[in-house]
Amino acid sequence: MTGAEKRRTARISQILDAAALCFVEMGFHRAGMAKIAARAKMSPGHIYHYFESKEAIIAAIVDRESAKAAERFAELDAVDSNELASVMTERAIQSIEEKTDILQSALNMEMLAECQRNPEIACIIQRHDKYIRDQLTHLIGNKIGLDLAEARTDMMMVQFSGLANRLLRNPDMDLSSMIALMRQTMQSILTPDTIGDHV
Amino acid sequence: MTGAEKRRTARISQILDAAALCFVEMGFHRAGMAKIAARAKMSPGHIYHYFESKEAIIAAIVDRESAKAAERFAELDAVDSNELASVMTERAIQSIEEKTDILQSALNMEMLAECQRNPEIACIIQRHDKYIRDQLTHLIGNKIGLDLAEARTDMMMVQFSGLANRLLRNPDMDLSSMIALMRQTMQSILTPDTIGDHV
Amino acid sequence: MTGAEKRRTARISQILDAAALCFVEMGFHRAGMAKIAARAKMSPGHIYHYFESKEAIIAAIVDRESAKAAERFAELDAVDSNELASVMTERAIQSIEEKTDILQSALNMEMLAECQRNPEIACIIQRHDKYIRDQLTHLIGNKIGLDLAEARTDMMMVQFSGLANRLLRNPDMDLSSMIALMRQTMQSILTPDTIGDHV
Amino acid sequence: MTGAEKRRTARISQILDAAALCFVEMGFHRAGMAKIAARAKMSPGHIYHYFESKEAIIAAIVDRESAKAAERFAELDAVDSNELASVMTERAIQSIEEKTDILQSALNMEMLAECQRNPEIACIIQRHDKYIRDQLTHLIGNKIGLDLAEARTDMMMVQFSGLANRLLRNPDMDLSSMIALMRQTMQSILTPDTIGDHV
DNA sequence: TATGAATGAGATTTCATTCAT
DNA sequence: CATGAATGAAATCTCATTCAT
């Protein structure tokens, strides 16, 4: 990377970081370009050298955040098949314990709300969602060797997004009991079928 | 109710219905008072006879929608204890099958995103959330007679909100397999403890 | 006066009292008809049975207040010529001591500011001002028998309005010394001429 | 001053000049930002680069006008003590002769009416008023050497503001006689005490 | 590359006034 | 005589975007 390219990348990161913070704090529509610019330590006009519009910024953020999430899931590829189930379970539990993810959730809400209306953003989100799903489906179907891999994948993702939602609505939730239950639920999802036994 | 009171109630409903539609279609912040007014078939100014501000409309909608959700959960009180677990399970499944809830989900996203910033709305949401939680906790703890009633409640609510989220991100999801898994998961949450057995 | 007429007069008074209070508290333009109506304990629409417009209300207030002031000056007509000068002086001093006039001053500011733009109101104010001036000029010229009666009248009125103004800008003013000076000044205005001696 | 700073200062002056004219012609509340902007030859939105709100413009004008008035009084500091009394007297007379001050008076009324409601503006006005008072008190007490300097100061200021008021209410006033009387009154205020002699 | 002045459309909100009841 | 629902124009203010420097 040339010096100019490095500088360009750094500038873009500055903008995305500033914008993400602003979006979380004030929401997409209340976060003015002026404030984002101030936080990114550049002039409002200059942002338009790097992004065509405000929407392009949120698209870039969605892209970046989704890529991060995909990366985290990609790490699971390196995990031994026997341990996969428990590693994934611990991931979910970690989400409960570290409340840092609440910020992330807030950004997620913003992104989802926006994607409802903006087809371009909806497209980016769904592309990344599919990537993660494929990754997980591969792990569950091929490495762990379970049937109904796609459904199990979706069910796992239900747990992750549901958990974020729940932490947002009930911040005082009793974590320790939840952890036990979440462990049980994840195991149930990743366990060869006993479906029908309990009905 | 006098004629005047009836008219007033009808007018307020008109506004809330119009606003809810606008919010779903374009989001809280893109839905202008002018558009809401047009849809409610009254002048923009007149809305302010019934609501102090746009935020007050949002708050009223959140209240109304949350109340609806709370009501649906309240119905479970009448269900026989033996059937409770399966009735609740069927509810979750119903959410998957009827995609009408997607609209509802969209409004939910709006509400959650907004509650992030608006303390008054956060308060309304949490009040209703607590009501639902208490209701469920009572059913699970007293009628079904399970331990860890609060954690099981939260876990159930994770399923509901997670599902809504998932349907939004992956509209093409294969429903039939999901239903089977969801049934199993709900049962696992509502079954006397085998926690620790799988770890 | 018939009962109906009495009722009408009372209603009009209610409106004028309410409006005057509103104008003092919030200014002419910030005092909405809705608030005036609420304070007058009637509906906004009903005010228009008695007054053609909001401007008509301020015109009526100006009229009423000016009439009151004229009345107070008319009382001076009954005072013995020898005592006139000192009675008038005591009037000025009374204005300093009773700060009740500050409310009146506030309303005066409102009226003057408004009259600057509204020719109808300017006309009412000037009509009453002329009436008071004529009254005073008559007293000073004919009863006390001074020359330059018109100029002395204006000069006296300068003291009254100037005083009100001053109390508004410097509410902490030391009153007792002012009283002595005001007494001297009024005497100087109402004393046969030594004009030119000091020049 | 850099070019940018000069431009900024000029822009701000444009706004204040335009706003002051609008306020005099139509009053604070009838002068819309759109009209002010048009007169200042810029877009309404751009005014908000320089002033936070319409009130901030009002405050700035009050500040500027009050500062001008204070400056005029400050000039008196350079006058010889012997001539001070007569110079001040001539000032008052000048106010009568030049009717240009009527415009100024109109703005003054607006300012006073507004200060009744807006504490920030009341504060600015009182700050400048105090400055003028201190200046005058110093001149009267130290340079001329009179007792009761503060009361005499207030009394002089009564003349100035009273005069402005009077010219507004009685535009047809006979000036020449007034001048003679005003001269006499000012002398009386600035003359070592004969208080009590006339009572 | 970088600035920030400038625009102008559009947002929310207020309010005098009218009118059906 | 009395109400208050209803209107719609206008007010203040915000903000994405452009452009001269």
Side-chain angles (χ1 to χ4, degrees), chain B residues 74-90:
Chain B
E75 293 164 9
L76 294 176
D77 210 23
V79 174
D80 189 76
S81 343
N82 297 341
E83 294 180 2
L84 245 180
S86 63
V87 168
M88 285 197 260
T89 305
E90 294 316 310

Side-chain angles (χ1 to χ4, degrees), chain A residues 139-171:
Chain A
L139 291 175
I140 292 171
N142 300 347
K143 285 190 82 171
I144 308 190
L146 292 172
D147 60 346
L148 300 172
E150 286 190 6
R152 288 183 208 269
T153 294
D154 273 315
M155 203 61 198
M156 285 204 55
M157 293 175 85
V158 163
Q159 307 307 311
F160 282 96
S161 63
L163 205 49
N165 239 320
R166 198 93 280 282
L167 283 167
L168 227 55
R169 293 216 202 192
N170 181 16

Side-chain angles (χ1 to χ4, degrees), chain C residues 21-167:
Chain C
L21 275 176
C22 285
F23 292 160
V24 167
E25 277 175 23
M26 23 196 358
F28 181 62
H29 292 284
R30 275 194 266 252
M33 289 298 262
K35 263 170 201 156
I36 294 172
R39 213 159 190 159
K41 284 172 189 172
M42 73 186 70
S43 69
H46 199 42
I47 291 185
Y48 288 82
H49 277 271
Y50 301 102
F51 295 97
E52 253 198 341
S53 67
K54 197 183 175 188
E55 298 225 321
I57 294 178
I58 215 191
I61 289 178
V62 170
D63 213 21
R64 190 175 75 163
E65 296 302 317
S66 296
K68 271 188 209 162
E71 226 175 284
R72 287 191 62 204
F73 277 96
E75 294 164 16
L76 294 175
D77 210 22
V79 174
D80 189 75
S81 341
N82 295 341
E83 293 179 0
L84 242 181
S86 63
V87 168
M88 286 198 262
T89 304
E90 293 316 309
R91 274 280 173 83
I93 287 164
Q94 207 182 6
S95 286
I96 304 179
E97 283 173 334
E98 301 171 16
K99 287 212 180 182
T100 37
D101 280 324
I102 285 191
L103 253 196
Q104 195 53 41
S105 285
L107 197 51
N108 257 294
M109 291 298 104
E110 217 49 62
M111 279 159 35
L112 279 174
E114 193 56 26
C115 107
Q116 213 64 28
R117 246 85 49 185
N118 187 324
E120 199 193 337
I121 288 173
C123 181
I124 295 173
I125 288 186
Q126 278 171 24
R127 175 157 45 81
H128 282 282
D129 194 78
K130 182 165 165 32
Y131 173 74
I132 291 173
R133 236 162 41 230
D134 289 349
Q135 203 90 17
L136 271 181
T137 304
H138 163 71
L139 292 173
I140 291 171
N142 299 346
K143 286 190 82 168
I144 309 192
L146 292 171
D147 60 345
L148 300 172
E150 288 191 4
R152 287 182 209 270
T153 294
D154 272 317
M155 202 62 198
M156 285 204 52
M157 292 175 86
V158 162
Q159 307 308 311
F160 283 96
S161 63
L163 205 50
N165 239 319
R166 198 91 280 281
L167 284 167

Side-chain angles (χ1 to χ4, degrees), chain B residues 51-183:
Chain B
F51 294 96
E52 259 198 342
S53 64
K54 195 186 177 186
E55 296 230 318
I57 297 179
I58 295 172
I61 288 179
V62 170
D63 207 24
R64 193 175 71 165
E65 297 302 317
S66 296
K68 271 189 210 165
E71 229 175 281
R72 288 191 60 205
F73 276 96
E75 293 164 9
L76 294 176
D77 210 23
V79 174
D80 189 76
S81 343
N82 297 341
E83 294 180 2
L84 245 180
S86 63
V87 168
M88 285 197 260
T89 305
E90 294 316 310
R91 270 284 170 81
I93 288 164
Q94 205 182 8
S95 286
I96 305 177
E97 283 174 332
E98 299 171 17
K99 287 215 181 180
T100 37
D101 280 326
I102 287 192
L103 260 197
Q104 194 54 39
S105 285
L107 198 51
N108 253 294
M109 291 299 106
E110 290 300 330
M111 278 160 38
L112 280 176
E114 194 58 22
C115 108
Q116 213 64 28
R117 246 89 48 188
N118 187 325
E120 199 192 336
I121 288 176
C123 180
I124 295 172
I125 288 186
Q126 276 172 24
R127 176 158 43 81
H128 284 284
D129 194 79
K130 182 167 165 31
Y131 174 74
I132 292 175
R133 236 161 40 229
D134 290 349
Q135 202 87 19
L136 274 181
T137 303
H138 163 72
L139 292 174
I140 293 172
N142 300 347
K143 287 190 83 169
I144 308 192
L146 292 173
D147 59 346
L148 299 172
E150 288 189 6
R152 287 182 208 269
T153 295
D154 273 315
M155 202 61 197
M156 285 205 54
M157 294 175 84
V158 163
Q159 307 309 310
F160 283 96
S161 63
L163 205 48
N165 237 319
R166 197 92 282 280
L167 283 166
L168 225 55
R169 294 216 201 193
N170 182 15
D172 306 323
M173 197 167 64
D174 170 37
L175 297 181
S176 57
S177 315
M178 267 298 277
I179 289 173
L181 264 176
M182 180 55 86
R183 199 167 267 140

Side-chain angles (χ1 to χ4, degrees), chain C residues 108 110 117 129 166 188, chain D residues 110 117 129 166 169 184:
Chain C
N108 257 294
E110 217 49 62
R117 246 85 49 185
D129 194 78
R166 198 91 280 281
S188 138
Chain D
E110 288 300 330
R117 244 91 45 189
D129 193 80
R166 198 90 283 279
R169 292 218 200 192
Q184 174 186 317

